[in-house]
Every structure is written in structure tokens, then in C-alpha cells.
Amino acid sequence: MKKTLTALLLASVAFAGSATAAERVVNVFNWSDYIDPKTLDDFTRETGVKVVYDTYDSNEILETRLLAGSTGYDVVVPSATFLAREIAAGVLQPLDKARLPNAKNLWPEIAEKLLRYDPGAQYAVDYMWYTTGVAYNTAKIRERIGDKPITSWEQVLKPENLKKFADCGVYMLDSPEDIFSITLNYLKLNPNSKSPEDIKRAEEHLAGLRRYVKKFHSSEYINALANGDICLAIGWSGDSFQARARAREAENGVDIAYVIPQEGTLITLDTLAIPKDAPHKEEAHLFIDYLMRPEVAARNTDSTRFANGVGASRSLVDPSIAGNNGIYPGETIMKRLFAVTAPDIAAQRPFTRAWTRVKTGR
Ligand code: N2P
């Protein structure tokens, strides 16, 4: 009897021990190449909260998981484009502002842009923001079009122009909200249009480009550009500059440029949010608050080359990044940027089908 009791006691101590350890966890689902890895270790060292970290590279992947429920994730990073419909679907929970004292560091202009998607700023705060533009291998592009640098979508989105780069490898984001909106804008249609006729025109235009695109992918282009495997990508600003940095680090002679074309382009805000059924709410708030510390945000920007949403961090960012117009565009460029909103979830299907046809021809 005594023996059993001791065993029971020991077992319950062991159980309590592991339960306590399990409580101090935050499950984070973030975009790939979107944080300085040191941030996670530093957070754990300071708070005792272990970070279980998982990555994705498309809003569609994240949203499918959120809609299915019970993701187990505590912090997710949806683009604002998708935020309104995810809030409407009830898959996110309001943030507890009292637990986010560092929200005072947020950048007012960026926070204001977010209100369009999250009225009242209840569900999300900005993590990073960026443009969709053209990343290219300067030498390989020069070989094909001479010294004239790429400045316009015309040089990339016109079939006979894109054709010139097909032999050295072209990637495009596998992101319909990006590629449709820039194509609509190029066709002088409303980039946020949901009209079936406009989408059809964009789809037809893209069908004429498909044969010159080696791959539609939203994360592999960083290394593909850096290694010299491809010469051009329609991609995101920070990723493009990461490609440039990786090539420089490898000293492989590859030089990558990133341009925001003169016709303007898409600006997107990525946000930090907490799923409705997050198992570790308190730790989720701790983690989000940590990311809003100016020095932490600055380091994440230095590492990822994406502009962050913490205005108070800007003076701490590496001056070559804070002063880079491709990362922190000045006012003139800002005026040419447009933002879009994904359709309601119920109206999504024709867009998904159109995108599948763009990619596969079927
Ligand atoms: C990070 C990509 C983040 C921008 N690699 C797209 N949301």
C-alpha cells in the first residue's frame, strides 16, 4: 500500500512538472524567412516560454488551416488582404491590448492602413509591410536587354518582353492576390477588381506569359536568384534583398537588384494575430509584445530586409536598409502603391479556379 502511494505521489509530481513545462510554450506559424532566428532564442531566454515554430509561404495555406480549426497555433501572420474575411469567419480572437504595452511603438501611418481590414484595430497589429516587384540578376538581364535597367512592368508583363528572360529562368509568386492585382493594374484596370470580366482579362493576359515562367513559387526564388539558377522573379521586396545578401555572402559573383516598377505596385501588410482557439493565449500576447519592441523589430528587419510596423524601430535599423527605397519607399513611390482585399470567402472559388488555369493551362 505504502509503495503504491509513493509511486502515485512520484507520478503526480512528474506529471505536474511536465504540465508546467508544457504551459510555457507558444506555437508560432509564420512565413518562411521572416524572422531573425536569434529572436526566438532570446525570447525563450528572457521569458522561459519555448517557441515551437513552423512556417508557410502562402495565405491560402494558413487560411485553410484556420478555417479547419484546432490548428494548435497561438500566433499566426495573415496578410491584411485576408484579415477582414478571416475576422468575419470567426477564426481569430480580439487582442488583449492591456497585454501589449509595446503597441505604443507601432507606426501610426501603417497602423492606419490596417484599419481598412481590421476596423477598430481589434484583431491584429502590423508585423512587416512590403511591395511586390521585380528582382533580377543584373548581369544576366544586361546580357539580354542591354544597359537599360528594368523600370517598368511593361518590360516584364508584356509577353514578348518576358520571353527574353525565359532562357535564364523566370519565377513568379504563387500568389493570386499579388499576380492578379499587378496584372490588372498593368492592364489599366482596377487592381482590386473582382468583376468576372476583369479577372478574365487578367487571366487571358497571364495565359500568354505562362510559357515563359519556369515556376510559380513563393519562397524558392530567394535561393534560386542567389545561386544564379534563375535571372528574374516577381517577388516580395524583403525576399529579393535577402537573395542579394545571400549571393554577396556566398561571393559567387551574382548581383541581384529589386525594382518597384514605375506604374506602381501592390503594398501588403502582414499582421500578427491569435487564432480563436489558441491554446496559449497569454504566451501569444507575450510573444507579439516582444516583437513590437523597437530593438527586436529592428533586428528582424535587418535580418529579413522587410520593413516592419514598429515606427520606433526605424532609427535602430541598419542605415543601408532603413535608407533603401526598395524596402522603405519614400513618399513619391508610396503614392503609387495600391492595396487590395481578398474577395469574401464565399466568392473565392472562381478566383482559385482562374489561378489554377493560369498556372497549369487547365
Ligand atoms: C517572407 C514572405 C513574407 C511576405 N519570406 C509575404 N507575406
Side-chain angles (χ1 to χ4, degrees):
M1 177 68 194
K2 205 173 171 199
K3 218 175 170 182
T4 323
L5 196 63
T6 315
L8 259 176
L9 272 173
L10 280 175
S12 64
V13 167
F15 177 74
S18 68
T20 315
E23 271 163 24
R24 305 306 284 173
V25 163
V26 63
N27 296 318
V28 177
F29 198 33
N30 191 9
W31 294 79
S32 51
D33 302 294
Y34 218 26
I35 199 161
D36 183 330
K38 288 197 288 294
T39 301
L40 306 179
D41 294 340
D42 287 359
F43 173 75
T44 303
R45 203 169 306 124
E46 188 178 312
T47 61
V49 177
K50 183 179 155 203
V51 184
V52 179
Y53 195 79
D54 201 0
T55 60
Y56 58 94
D57 69 359
S58 95
N59 276 297
E60 289 76 10
I61 292 175
L62 170 63
E63 190 174 83
T64 305
R65 301 252 193 123
L66 287 173
L67 293 174
S70 313
T71 60
Y73 294 126
D74 300 305
V75 176
V76 292
V77 190
S79 295
T81 331
F82 285 75
L83 199 58
R85 75 188 210 178
E86 288 167 2
I87 293 170
V91 295
L92 302 173
Q93 60 175 281
L95 300 174
D96 179 354
K97 292 295 175 59
R99 295 188 195 192
L100 300 174
N102 285 321
K104 66 173 186 298
N105 300 321
L106 288 169
W107 194 330
E109 282 86 349
I110 300 295
E112 199 199 303
K113 285 186 198 295
L114 202 50
L115 292 176
R116 164 175 173 188
Y117 308 95
D118 174 20
Q122 289 190 74
Y123 290 86
V125 292
D126 183 64
Y127 177 51
M128 301 282 182
W129 56 277
Y130 53 91
T131 53
T132 305
V134 183
Y136 62 94
N137 179 312
T138 55
K140 289 192 179 168
I141 296 311
R142 198 178 307 119
E143 274 164 31
R144 284 157 183 84
I145 60 168
D147 272 336
K148 210 171 146 243
I150 293 183
T151 53
S152 142
W153 282 122
E154 180 88 5
Q155 288 162 283
V156 174
L157 293 180
K158 197 173 188 179
E160 65 249 47
N161 290 339
L162 190 65
K163 188 180 177 185
K164 297 174 193 158
F165 313 127
D167 71 304
C168 57
V170 171
Y171 273 25
M172 239 185 229
L173 292 169
D174 183 5
S175 170
E177 53 287 359
D178 286 81
I179 304 298
F180 273 125
S181 64
I182 59 170
T183 306
L184 288 164
N185 182 61
Y186 169 67
L187 297 172
K188 301 204 162 49
L189 298 167
N190 171 6
N192 198 28
S193 178
K194 305 289 178 264
S195 110
E197 303 77 54
D198 291 353
I199 298 303
K200 186 149 186 275
R201 280 192 58 194
E203 183 190 333
E204 281 166 4
H205 183 83
L206 288 163
L209 297 175
R210 179 179 50 250
R211 79 195 66 179
Y212 308 123
V213 178
K214 187 169 170 186
K215 196 169 197 174
F216 291 88
H217 202 282
S218 298
S219 51
E220 284 179 13
Y221 66 98
I222 305 180
N223 279 337
L225 281 167
N227 298 340
D229 292 342
I230 63 170
C231 60
L232 188 139
I234 297 184
W236 293 309
S237 47
D239 289 346
S240 305
F241 286 107
Q242 282 183 51
R244 179 166 83 173
R246 286 182 200 180
R248 283 183 180 170
E249 203 169 305
E251 296 182 13
N252 61 3
V254 170
D255 176 47
I256 303 296
Y258 174 78
V259 64
I260 296 175
Q262 65 203 14
E263 299 92 334
T265 194
L266 179 67
I267 177 173
T268 307
L269 283 70
D270 283 350
T271 71
L272 299 164
I274 305 181
K276 182 83 161 191
D277 53 7
H280 312 99
K281 267 169 110 156
E282 195 182 324
E283 289 77 6
H285 283 90
L286 263 183
F287 187 73
I288 292 176
D289 198 52
Y290 187 77
L291 295 182
M292 290 190 293
R293 279 192 199 170
E295 60 279 14
V296 173
R299 206 175 64 185
N300 285 330
T301 288
D302 284 350
S303 164
T304 66
R305 269 84 174 166
F306 281 95
N308 68 65
V310 178
S313 79
R314 183 131 181 213
S315 59
L316 307 172
V317 169
D318 179 329
S320 72
I321 293 173
N324 183 331
N325 240 324
I327 298 175
Y328 284 91
E331 272 198 30
T332 329
I333 300 177
M334 274 300 219
K335 287 204 189 90
R336 282 188 240 133
L337 304 181
F338 50 81
V340 299
T341 312
D344 291 342
I345 291 177
Q348 176 62 44
R349 188 167 265 190
F351 299 95
T352 307
R353 292 215 171 122
W355 183 241
T356 303
R357 286 191 298 267
V358 164
K359 290 190 293 178
T360 65
R362 274 169 284 136

